Amino acid sequence: MAASVLHLPQELVDSIIEYVGDDRSTLCSCALVSRSWLHSSRYHLFANISLSPHIQGNIPPQQLCAQLYGVLQESPAIVPYIRSLQIFDGGLPPHRTAQWISNERTLPPLLKLLTHLRQLELSASSACNVIQWKSLPFTLQNAICTLLKLPSLTYLRLHSWTFPNLASIAAVLSSCQHLKCLSLSAVAVCEDLDNTHHSEPPDTIPNDEFSSGSDTANTRAPTPSLEVLTLDYVNFGYLGYWLFAPPSPISFSNLRELRISHSADPLVVEQILLSIGPSLEHLHLKPGSWDVFPFDLRNNLNLKSLRLTLEVPETALSWCTTLLSSLSPSGFLNSLTHISLEFFTDLKRLSASSPSTTTTVSPSTSPYHVPLKQVDIGLFAQPSHPDFVRVQEALGGIQKNDLKGSGAVRVYQLGLKSQRSFGRICGPRLRSFEGNN
């Protein structure tokens, strides 16, 4: 008798393949089992594509780019499975500063093939390497902006970029009509003095910066309504003007999550918080070398979590007490349930230059009258450090009834993967922008 073939239910097949979704070699084997296994295998195998010099095998990223372009030309059915793309400009060791995206001819046509992309990251692979928008070939500029116009694209991250003027960065972001999450990291603008007046930045977008086909210099795309915005090390002239002068490059009306690290200045940040208003739910501030500034959060009525990361010992505790004191009047933040205070600094210097950490986190100076469920105190020190112990002892005096329900106060060591703050509750939660799997 002929041996019977075992047919598994498709739901079970999908569960099996999802279980091995992080093992690429196993996924390749699963794709060869049968036609019923092919779709789920490709779904996980091609979900995230990285063109980086740091992947296993030390294959040059330009070679990976050419190989991927060849595969998609031969098998266009794979295109819908590619939902996330990371491009890192740079070379293999020891030539990490070698740039390749400007010279790789297959990159522009490859980008135009990716019609189902949801997440895009364009970064330099090392701190010594910066992507100059003005130096990119027009074909690549055009391909990038075509990609940004995709209705499916909801997340964009630009890291280590330099734009010649405000008009050029506005032109790029104006293509992102459907964007929900924007992350700018180490982005600089070098004002072109020939085209930019000192008194007022330009408000027109040059056609040759990004346009193609029917686009004109006076045509402005709808402003993307973001839900998540991250500004890390974004410091350039006229930043406030660029964000708020009409027409604004983004809309703050639906912003739920905001992270600002070593960027802008307190006055611009205050204006951002005011513009966001009650839609803001998660706020992460990393002020760096700013002077202590008393932010007014009364307009952000639906704030659920507040995270403050402090690195300068001379101002760390003053920042902490000033921001926490802004929460105490009137009890307007009825939705605030999580607070995280992270001290990335030497505790010996912290103790010597400021009031004791114990005083800062004591119940009398912390807003425990709001419905908090979790308070995290992160210290860059060993748990045996005297100040670490003192903070733990001080927080031990906070009774359970000071926090709602099963609330908890936790002191943890920063810098350990196993000792993280409350998830990434204050950071861009990319999964919420991936849609249905």
Side-chain angles (χ1 to χ4, degrees), residues 101-411:
I101 64 173
S102 297
N103 302 319
E104 179 52 49
R105 295 182 178 180
T106 61
L107 182 56
L110 169 65
L111 296 181
K112 290 192 174 184
L113 283 179
L114 304 179
T115 55
H116 291 69
L117 207 63
R118 299 178 185 177
Q119 301 176 15
L120 174 64
E121 179 176 350
L122 300 170
S123 304
S125 60
S126 68
C128 301
N129 194 16
V130 177
I131 301 175
Q132 303 276 351
W133 172 257
K134 192 174 184 178
S135 66
L136 298 182
F138 174 77
T139 54
L140 181 55
Q141 290 185 6
N142 181 267
I144 291 174
C145 289
T146 300
L147 199 62
L148 297 180
K149 293 179 181 178
L150 290 176
S152 60
L153 190 71
T154 57
Y155 173 76
L156 172 65
R157 183 174 188 263
L158 300 178
H159 174 67
S160 292
W161 277 72
T162 296
F163 293 88
N165 47 47
L166 292 174
S168 59
I169 186 174
V172 172
L173 294 183
S174 68
S175 302
C176 308
Q177 303 175 18
H178 305 278
L179 208 61
K180 297 299 181 184
C181 181
L182 174 63
S183 177
L184 300 179
S185 176
V187 173
V189 174
C190 300
E191 293 296 339
D192 187 347
L193 297 181
D194 294 333
N195 299 322
T196 304
H197 298 291
H198 290 281
S199 59
E200 183 176 337
D203 58 0
T204 59
I205 299 176
N207 187 52
D208 60 354
E209 291 283 359
F210 74 105
S211 302
S212 62
S214 59
D215 291 330
T216 64
N218 296 323
T219 300
R220 294 190 181 275
T223 301
S225 182
L226 296 180
E227 296 181 15
V228 174
L229 175 63
T230 296
L231 300 175
D232 292 336
Y233 293 89
V234 178
N235 294 287
F236 55 78
Y238 302 120
L239 176 60
Y241 182 96
W242 177 68
L243 288 173
F244 299 108
S248 175
I250 59 177
S251 171
F252 294 100
S253 58
N254 295 318
L255 203 67
R256 297 187 296 107
E257 302 181 24
L258 175 66
R259 168 188 161 93
I260 296 183
S261 172
H262 296 268
S263 296
D265 61 71
L267 293 177
V268 174
V269 176
E270 187 175 51
Q271 192 172 2
I272 293 175
L273 293 172
L274 184 63
S275 300
I276 298 174
S279 67
L280 186 64
E281 297 180 2
H282 308 289
L283 174 62
H284 182 187
L285 288 176
K286 192 174 182 181
S289 59
W290 287 348
D291 292 331
V292 179
F293 189 89
F295 288 113
D296 187 355
L297 301 176
R298 286 177 294 180
N299 198 45
N300 310 116
L301 299 175
N302 295 310
L303 191 65
K304 295 180 180 179
S305 67
L306 174 63
R307 183 176 176 184
L308 187 61
T309 303
L310 303 159
E311 301 163 296
V312 180
E314 289 76 17
T315 59
L317 294 181
S318 296
W319 262 108
C320 182
T321 54
T322 300
L323 194 61
L324 290 182
S325 63
S326 69
L327 306 177
S328 55
S330 71
F332 56 90
L333 291 174
N334 293 323
S335 59
L336 185 64
T337 58
H338 292 79
I339 288 181
S340 178
L341 305 174
E342 298 178 336
F343 296 93
F344 274 96
T345 183
D346 185 353
L347 288 185
K348 293 181 179 179
R349 295 181 60 194
L350 185 68
S351 300
S353 61
S354 303
S356 71
T357 309
T358 303
T359 304
T360 301
V361 298
S362 65
S364 60
T365 57
S366 300
Y368 294 112
H369 61 282
V370 297
L372 290 176
K373 293 183 179 179
Q374 179 76 35
V375 175
D376 288 329
I377 309 293
L379 302 176
F380 198 68
Q382 295 288 338
S384 58
H385 191 283
D387 271 359
F388 197 106
V389 175
R390 278 199 294 270
V391 172
Q392 283 185 314
E393 292 175 351
L395 293 175
I398 301 175
Q399 302 299 321
K400 271 258 184 171
N401 56 13
D402 289 321
L403 298 176
K404 280 264 184 171
S406 59
V409 179
R410 181 169 68 104
V411 182

